[in-house]
Amino acid sequence: MTATTTQGFRETMKRLRSAQKGHARGAPAYSVYVNRRIGRVLAALAHGWGLTPNQVTAVSALHTFAAIVLLATVPASAWLGILVAILLVLGYAWDSADGQVARLRGGGSIAGEWLDHFVDAAKISSLHLAVAIGLFRFVPDLPPVILLVPLWFSAVATTTFFGMLLNDLLKGARGIASTHVRGGGTARRSLLLLPTDFGVLCLSFALWGTPAFLYVYGALALVSTVFLAAASVKWFRDMRRAG
C-alpha cells in the first residue's frame, strides 16, 4: 500500500467503527466479536477497491458455495476440512462486509437486502445437504441413521433463519422496533449462545475427514435444536403481544 492508500484505509476503518450498527440482543459471540471485525477490514478493502455491496455479496457467495461444492464432490480428508473451513469463514466475513460497505455508501437498497438474505437462505440449507452428500459418498461403513443428522440440521437451521426474518418483518409492519438495536445484549449471553453461531459451525469443518467432526457437528445440531425449541416459544409470545 502507498501512504495515500494506507491513510484512506485508516479513514475508512474509522468511519466504519463510528457507523457500526448494533447487534441483536445477545447475538452469538463469534459473530459480534470476531466476524464483524474481520468483515470491517474486508469492507474497508472493498470500499477502497470500489466494490458495490452487491458485488461484496457475490464475493461472499463465491467463497461459501465453493466450500459447499467441495464438501459434496471431493473425498473427505484433513486438508479438505481446513480448506473448507477457511472458505466458509471468509464467506461469512464477506457476508458481514456487504452491509458495512452499504453504510459507507450512505445506505443499502431493498434489492441489496433481498439478495443478501436470499444468498443466506441458500447457503444455510445447502451446507448441511452437502454434508449429507459428502458423508454418503466418501465415508465408508457409516450407519445410515447418521445421515439423518445433517438433514435434520438443515431443517432446524432453515426454520431458525426464517423465524428470525419473520420476527423483524412482522414487527416492522406494526411499527415495533427491530431486535437489532445498538448495544443490545450482554457478553455473557453472547458466550452462552456461541454454539448456535454460524461462525462456530464454519470452524467445525476444520475437523472434516476426522472422527471428531461427527461428534462436534452432532453436538451443534443438538444445541441448535434446543435453541429453536426455546426461541419459538418466546417468538410466539412476542407475536401475541405485538398483535
Side-chain angles (χ1 to χ4, degrees), residues 165-231:
L165 287 183
L166 191 59
N167 288 343
D168 286 345
L169 177 65
L170 295 178
K171 287 181 178 179
R174 288 157 179 78
I176 302 174
S178 168
T179 56
H180 295 82
V181 293
R182 191 169 181 83
T186 63
R188 181 180 180 182
R189 182 180 174 88
S190 293
L191 289 173
L192 287 175
L193 291 177
L194 189 59
T196 68
D197 199 315
F198 184 74
V200 173
L201 176 63
C202 295
L203 292 173
S204 73
F205 283 93
L207 300 173
W208 182 253
T210 72
F213 173 79
L214 290 176
Y215 292 102
V216 172
Y217 184 80
L220 293 178
L222 177 61
V223 172
S224 295
T225 301
V226 173
F227 170 80
L228 177 59

Side-chain angles (χ1 to χ4, degrees), residues 81-188:
I82 293 173
L83 176 58
V84 166
I86 291 173
L87 288 171
L88 289 174
V89 166
L90 287 174
Y92 192 34
W94 279 109
D95 184 37
S96 174
D98 59 9
Q100 299 187 58
V101 171
R103 286 190 290 280
L104 283 173
R105 297 165 65 95
S109 64
I110 294 178
E113 186 174 1
W114 178 89
L115 178 64
D116 185 32
H117 292 327
F118 184 85
V119 172
D120 285 344
K123 78 179 182 185
I124 288 171
S125 58
S126 60
L127 174 61
H128 299 290
L129 298 181
V131 171
I133 294 171
L135 292 176
F136 176 76
R137 294 187 64 194
F138 304 119
V139 181
D141 303 321
L142 187 71
V145 69
I146 298 298
L147 297 178
L148 296 177
V149 176
L151 300 181
W152 174 259
F153 207 164
S154 178
V156 168
T158 303
T159 304
T160 302
F161 180 68
F162 175 77
M164 290 179 174
L165 287 183
L166 191 59
N167 288 343
D168 286 345
L169 177 65
L170 295 178
K171 287 181 178 179
R174 288 157 179 78
I176 302 174
S178 168
T179 56
H180 295 82
V181 293
R182 191 169 181 83
T186 63
R188 181 180 180 182

